[in-house]
Amino acid sequence: MKKSTVGFGASLLMAGVILAGCGSGSAETESAADSGATEIKVGTGNEALPYAYLDENGEYDGYDVAVVKAIDEKLTEYTFTFEGADFPTTLSNLESGKVEMAAYEYEVNAERQEKFVYGDVGYVVWDTYIVSDPDAGAVYESFDDLAGKKVYATTATNQAAMAETYLEENPGAFELVYGEYNNEQIVQAITSGAVDASLAPKYQVDNWNKSFSENLAIGSEPVHNSDAYLLFNKETDQAFIDAVNTALEELKADGTIKELSEEYLDGDYVPE
């Protein structure tokens, strides 16, 4: 299992599971009380296709949500409810204890390691590439190729952290543009020329191209190799964290996580 401690990740916010489990709301809280199960509040996204979002019925869905619901199915002594927010707010909610666990494509970086406890089991590969519109400019292989360009990164992500690290070593090399863009806004920013590039895993770029009929391109090699992990508040009970790690490892071993990856990400992107 690989855990990178240099900046990137969880993802660009992506705007726009099927296993039974819990979404959010009073009915689930009632069920938890009736069953005697311990309720765990899970922070995730509400507008981040294909990872975490609200479906047409207002229920939480997406790859990360499905992974958590699969874990919930195995851990009968717990019941999970979801608290949706944007990416940085989810981290704030986890730090404050508003939620005990978070699932939102979180890669490892040093700042988060200071504040949170990472799960032991990676559940999606987050190899990250530079994304651009070849019809409007060029395909970029490395940060060195971005000299004088504008690069979008979602606030508080590993993508932003990696770009910041590069700029610390190469001041003024390119302009880093922060935001809370959804999928469509990221694509529009790139194709309109508002920014020259952004950062994302290959399967997310494939999703953008399919969803918006675009022809975005990535470099031939990732600029960063990493996986995504579940995150926990430092005060979260260690027995619960251990139970989640065990359940997720079992779900990887029996092929459940691979099935969810193929369903939501259109391919097997599960780390070995």
Side-chain angles (χ1 to χ4, degrees), residues 8-9 11-14 126-134 138-143 145-146 149-155 157-160 162-163 174-191 193-202 204-205 208 216-219 221-224:
F8 247 52
S11 158
L12 298 167
L13 257 191
M14 300 162 191
W126 246 98
D127 292 349
T128 302
Y129 296 78
I130 298 173
V131 188
S132 63
D133 180 2
V139 175
Y140 304 104
E141 297 289 344
S142 70
F143 282 104
D145 294 339
L146 295 172
K149 306 298 182 182
K150 290 185 178 181
V151 181
Y152 170 79
T154 297
T155 305
T157 60
N158 266 10
Q159 278 82 6
M162 176 175 269
F174 55 81
E175 180 182 350
L176 186 57
V177 179
Y178 297 92
E180 302 297 334
Y181 297 178
N182 62 30
N183 281 341
E184 185 175 12
Q185 290 168 331
I186 294 171
V187 172
Q188 287 179 344
I190 297 170
T191 57
V195 299
D196 298 289
S198 189
L199 304 157
K202 180 181 183 301
Q204 184 57 52
V205 180
W208 290 342
L216 299 179
I218 59 175
E221 296 292 334
V223 294
H224 182 72

Side-chain angles (χ1 to χ4, degrees), residues 27-246:
E28 288 177 48
T29 304
E30 223 174 275
S31 172
D34 292 346
S35 68
T38 300
E39 181 185 4
I40 300 294
K41 294 181 179 178
V42 182
T44 193
N46 53 19
E47 198 182 21
L49 284 165
Y51 309 105
Y53 54 91
L54 293 172
D55 66 16
E56 62 274 10
N57 298 315
E59 299 293 329
Y60 286 98
D61 201 352
Y63 177 69
D64 289 54
V65 173
V67 169
V68 171
K69 287 184 176 181
I71 295 169
D72 192 17
E73 285 279 306
K74 293 183 72 70
L75 302 181
T76 56
E77 65 271 41
Y78 302 98
T79 187
F80 296 0
T81 56
F82 292 95
E83 181 80 27
D86 60 33
F87 191 85
T89 301
T90 300
L91 286 172
S92 297
N93 287 344
L94 185 62
E95 186 174 8
S96 69
K98 186 175 182 179
V99 299
E100 292 99 328
M101 182 173 93
Y104 206 156
E105 296 294 303
Y106 290 115
E107 293 180 85
V108 177
N109 68 34
E111 181 180 355
R112 289 184 203 144
Q113 286 180 312
E114 290 289 323
K115 297 179 179 180
F116 308 111
V117 175
Y118 274 89
D120 293 338
V121 185
Y123 62 95
V124 64
V125 174
W126 246 98
D127 292 349
T128 302
Y129 296 78
I130 298 173
V131 188
S132 63
D133 180 2
D135 296 331
V139 175
Y140 304 104
E141 297 289 344
S142 70
F143 282 104
D144 291 342
D145 294 339
L146 295 172
K149 306 298 182 182
K150 290 185 178 181
V151 181
Y152 170 79
T154 297
T155 305
T157 60
N158 266 10
Q159 278 82 6
M162 176 175 269
E164 289 163 357
T165 298
Y166 179 87
L167 289 173
E168 287 174 3
E169 299 172 357
N170 302 273
F174 55 81
E175 180 182 350
L176 186 57
V177 179
Y178 297 92
E180 302 297 334
Y181 297 178
N182 62 30
N183 281 341
E184 185 175 12
Q185 290 168 331
I186 294 171
V187 172
Q188 287 179 344
I190 297 170
T191 57
S192 70
V195 299
D196 298 289
S198 189
L199 304 157
K202 180 181 183 301
Y203 54 80
Q204 184 57 52
V205 180
D206 291 342
N207 176 272
W208 290 342
N209 286 336
K210 180 179 177 181
S211 299
F212 304 110
S213 300
E214 294 293 348
N215 187 37
L216 299 179
I218 59 175
S220 58
E221 296 292 334
V223 294
H224 182 72
N225 299 101
S226 186
D227 298 337
Y229 299 81
L230 297 173
L231 269 184
F232 302 88
N233 179 280
K234 281 200 168 183
E235 302 304 315
T236 300
D237 181 59
Q238 185 61 47
F240 168 70
I241 297 175
D242 292 343
V244 170
N245 285 331
T246 298

